[in-house]
Amino acid sequence: MEIIEIYPNHLYAMQYEDGEENEFDRLLDEWNDIEKVVNFMDQNKIYLSNKEIWGAELNTEDAAKRVRIEAEEL
């Protein structure tokens, strides 16, 4: 296992010996896979009603789009 510096002095990611990429890159790939995000949101719909996290109650598709936009910004 190795610690990879993503943004110096701010953000680090783990690189596991058996992993092809570090965890930051792996998660960004998952967050950009709209089908995976929609499936996750469908399985966890109860959390989409939490206005403290999302700012408003969201449906599955809107939440998935927001995740993808935020992943792109990272």
Side-chain angles (χ1 to χ4, degrees), residues 2 11 32 36 38 46 52-54 57 59 61 73:
E2 181 182 355
L11 181 64
N32 279 298
K36 279 187 180 182
V38 168
I46 190 166
E52 291 178 27
I53 294 172
W54 296 98
E57 187 169 331
N59 63 41
E61 292 77 24
E73 289 175 358

Side-chain angles (χ1 to χ4, degrees), residues 7 12 21 23 32 35 49 69 71:
Y7 297 114
Y12 301 86
E21 56 189 352
E23 287 299 292
N32 279 298
E35 187 175 326
S49 62
I69 289 168

Side-chain angles (χ1 to χ4, degrees), residues 36-48 54 59-61 63-64 67:
K36 279 187 180 182
V37 174
V38 168
N39 287 338
F40 177 85
M41 294 298 177
D42 279 338
Q43 294 171 4
N44 296 280
K45 281 184 178 182
I46 190 166
Y47 299 108
L48 296 178
W54 296 98
N59 63 41
T60 302
E61 292 77 24
V67 167

